[in-house]
Amino acid sequence: MRHLLKPLRHNCRRLRWAHHRAQKAAASPSPPPRPPRPPPKPESLTFHDHSWEDPYSWMSKLNDKVAMRHLDMYMEQEEKYTEATMSGTDRLQSKLQSEMASRFASDLSTPPLRWGPWLYYRRVEEGKQFPVLCRRLASLNDEFISHKSPSAGFDFTSGKRIEQKLLDYNQEAQRFGGYAYEELSEVSPDHRFIAYTMYDKESDFFKLSVRNLNSGALCSKPQADRVSNLAWAKDGQALLYVVTDQNKRPCRIYCSMIGSTDDDFLILEEPDENVYVNIRHTKDFRFVTVHTFSTASSKVFLINAADPLSGVNLVWECEGISHGILEHHQGYLYLFTDAAKEGQSVDYHYLLRSHLDSSSSPRTWESVFTDDPDWVVEDLDFSHTHLVVTLREGRNFRLCSVTLPLPAGKGAVHLKELHPQFLPLPKYVSQISPGPNYDYHSSKMRFTLSSPVMPDAVVDYDLSNGEWNIVQQQNILHERTRVLYGTASSASIIEETLNSKSSNPSNEVNSDDDQLWNGLSEFYACEQYNVASYDGVLLPLTVVYSRKNKKEDQNPGLLHVHGTYGELLEKRWRSELKSLLDRGWIIAYADVRGGGGGGKKWHHDGRRTKKINSIKDYISCANFLVDKEIVHENKLAGWGYSAGGLVLASAINQSPHLFKAAILKVPFLDPTNTLLYPILPLTAADYEEFGYPGDIADFHAMRDYSPYDNIQKDVLYPAVMVSSSFNTRFGVWEAAKWVARVRELTIYDQKRPILLNLTTDIVEENRYLQCKESALESAFLIKVMES
């Protein structure tokens, strides 16, 4: 028995030792993953009086098969490294994704848009990835139109569903590589056809198709490639479209007669490789306007829509590149432009008018409004009876309507003399975006109002009586979306009295009326500051936080920036940020020079040789948040998209100690090489924004602010997640080069990883992927702040 027990005791000791080793192994954390290190292959470059080396230029050699194989292997390593680094956040990601997904409405529809006899809308069917374009007659069973489900209803007279499905983008996805990315879509004025362009991933261009809305069949022609613009003419019997060259420069206008077997007619071809072409129809469909522009000059031409082959007539031109939108109203041409006046640059847009039948050469234009620095006109929209004007007073937006026609023969008048009717707006409006507003003869105009503390509100304003109605808005507190139209009411909707109100001439809504707009000010505060930059210029800074979760000098913060192309920084309420706000995060927005909202000078003071202003402005806003103890000094993160990523990455180079984390989404990080040796076609606007390498002053400025060329050596950088795409439209090599160089030069800290997050699809077109990406980014920020 003793001999039998001996091996048993020995085996028990071995089992206990094995169990102890297993417990010890489980208790010991696995070593942190090491970041990939691609091999540097320095290439010497010289331009002007400057020489430098680019160790990772091989990543952008798209025609080098060996280099591309190495890049593919490197991308696989990056994917594994990101996955391993973020593996401890799986539960957090899942929770965040669940929170964010719950805020999506599964039966979401765009609010029906009235145009002529039809209501047009898009809706997402259950279980489908992409929407369906639909329409229904507005007059048919109008009292039964559901607010929340415009597709509902049945016509018992004809025995058919009221809804017509016009275009299923899930089927389009099968034609175009698995996803449906639409750039242009125009229904013909006779409502018989739709012309639209879809991105062809394999060929990297947009393909034009025309579909018969009655039969649903694709038309045999036109079916053109590389289409950048289109406009209907001849009441829907003809389609004009613009085709780009191999460098993606819009340069040729064609006219296709629908139903004809004749070849499409070339109306205009611009041979100068520096000139770009754009077309659009006037709101009354009487003309198609042609805008050609380059850094040397800008011109506007007219085409008679009733006879599109009759020729192209020049109606306006100016020196230099300028923005110009031409409209026609009752025998007058109206031009909204920012062109120089008498050779002097202006800081704003203004409206000109000329009689359609003017015989003078060159055509005579007169100003409509007198200049007023207190009322800056930001945008205009025409209907048959009214002109709607978006104004800016300082940094505040206002919206007003003026009765048409405007008085003639008086010369320029002050807008106030026309007795504008001001339309009500909620507090903290950050952007006013006009809707399609196709129905020129309708008294209603649609706008989308954005605010940091209010979900986007799609609002119909009745210009004839000043009434307004919110036709779509998500109710964040109940995680549902309201979609309204027609005369019926819905039990799930707040009473009609909360959604319709007479216009308030003062354009102000009382604070106790916040519920009228489904605002969130009761739960989330919005504060606005003026921050002094390094040179004394005051910068608007917007700060949003949860009233319940804010703690003095303890909160982490996320500072957004864009600051390019004169575009407004998007400060709209984003439901995915609610997850951070509810966890005590401060969300801030820095309106730096180079962006929009401050006129042309504000834009120009942050571009080319003055691009450094955008970066220093952002750093000033970051310091303000920390110095005023709005954000904890060691818990500030930055967020930049596209060219905004350049501003953030440059700010990190200059002040790496300021930030603990950063999110760079499809960022522009290597301007020197991209502008000197473009792989993807660039436009004149790109060079006007970031500089011309041939200009020595621009070149030196570019070298000074370039994120890729100014990474500090032996310095601790913040944790950074760089999101990019395999789709070459976004230039994945720029992100890969920057990530590799930061790792090579800076101090390695496993708690501050530099990650390259790669996507294989166009995330913006896929709500599931969008949600997944946002959850990953939020988990990364939370992980870094808690480390």
Side-chain angles (χ1 to χ4, degrees), residues 240 253 267 286-290 301-305 307-308 311-312:
L240 279 65
I253 303 175
I267 290 181
R286 282 196 57 185
F287 299 97
V288 173
T289 67
V290 179
F301 302 84
L302 271 189
I303 296 175
N304 184 354
D307 186 8
V312 177

Side-chain angles (χ1 to χ4, degrees), residues 8-22:
L8 183 60
R9 286 195 299 270
H10 178 66
N11 287 338
C12 286
R13 282 198 301 271
R14 287 175 61 188
L15 285 169
R16 282 197 299 271
W17 171 244
H19 182 63
H20 172 71
R21 280 200 309 175

Side-chain angles (χ1 to χ4, degrees), residues 216-232:
L218 278 172
C219 298
S220 58
K221 63 179 285 290
Q223 290 192 18
D225 298 334
R226 301 195 304 274
V227 173
S228 64
N229 225 209
L230 51 87
W232 285 102

Side-chain angles (χ1 to χ4, degrees), residues 476-719:
I476 294 296
L477 303 180
H478 299 95
E479 312 290 15
R480 67 169 180 255
T481 297
R482 298 186 289 165
V483 182
L484 315 180
Y485 202 87
T487 57
S489 61
S490 170
S492 64
I493 308 303
I494 298 176
E495 295 179 6
E496 185 180 350
T497 54
L498 291 180
N499 297 311
S500 185
K501 200 86 171 175
S502 294
S503 175
N504 183 341
S506 69
N507 198 52
E508 298 294 335
V509 175
N510 296 330
S511 58
D512 58 348
D513 286 339
D514 189 50
Q515 60 179 320
L516 289 175
W517 299 96
N518 195 15
L520 303 171
S521 297
E522 180 183 350
F523 307 96
Y524 303 97
C526 179
E527 297 176 356
Q528 296 171 322
Y529 300 90
N530 286 319
V531 177
S533 191
Y534 76 102
D535 56 358
V537 172
L538 294 180
L539 314 167
L541 176 67
T542 304
V543 174
V544 181
Y545 58 88
S546 166
R547 296 185 186 276
K548 178 181 177 183
N549 297 302
K550 187 175 186 294
K551 299 175 182 177
E552 203 67 34
D553 191 29
Q554 295 184 36
N555 298 73
L558 185 62
L559 180 59
H560 292 70
V561 68
H562 185 61
T564 43
Y565 295 110
E567 296 171 346
L568 284 172
L569 173 63
E570 186 179 274
K571 297 190 284 285
R572 55 185 284 268
W573 171 267
R574 286 164 45 203
S575 60
E576 64 268 25
L577 291 179
K578 184 176 185 293
S579 294
L580 289 178
L581 286 167
D582 291 347
R583 286 170 171 81
W585 281 67
I586 305 292
I587 306 298
Y589 303 89
D591 278 300
V592 303
R593 281 172 283 185
K600 188 187 288 187
K601 185 178 185 302
W602 185 264
H603 171 211
H604 287 188
D605 282 349
R607 65 173 196 164
R608 295 183 65 174
T609 57
K610 297 180 180 179
K611 191 67 205 169
I612 195 69
N613 285 338
S614 306
I615 298 151
K616 290 187 174 181
D617 289 352
Y618 183 67
I619 291 171
S620 297
C621 290
N623 278 316
F624 180 88
L625 290 173
V626 172
D627 293 344
K628 297 298 181 181
E629 299 185 345
I630 298 170
V631 173
H632 187 279
E633 64 177 350
N634 194 34
K635 292 185 178 181
L636 179 62
W639 192 97
Y641 173 81
S642 188
L646 179 147
V647 175
L648 172 54
S650 297
I652 290 172
N653 284 343
Q654 292 194 23
S655 302
H657 63 280
L658 253 181
F659 305 93
K660 191 170 183 182
I663 300 290
L664 301 175
K665 291 183 72 69
V666 288
F668 181 33
L669 298 170
D670 188 13
T672 304
N673 288 302
T674 295
L675 296 169
L676 260 179
Y677 314 108
I679 296 170
L680 302 177
L682 299 175
T683 68
D686 297 320
Y687 289 107
E688 284 290 310
E689 191 65 33
F690 301 105
Y692 293 87
D695 183 303
I696 193 164
D698 279 1
F699 175 75
H700 282 297
M702 195 185 304
R703 292 288 301 170
D704 288 342
Y705 72 70
S706 168
Y708 181 67
D709 296 308
N710 291 282
I711 298 164
Q712 292 195 41
K713 192 173 182 180
D714 299 327
V715 171
L716 181 63
Y717 264 42

Side-chain angles (χ1 to χ4, degrees), residues 228 242-245 249-253 268-272 275-277:
S228 64
V242 180
V243 172
T244 65
D245 60 17
R249 176 182 68 93
C251 59
R252 289 187 294 276
I253 303 175
L268 181 145
E269 182 170 15
E270 179 51 68
D272 188 337
V275 177
Y276 295 76
V277 178

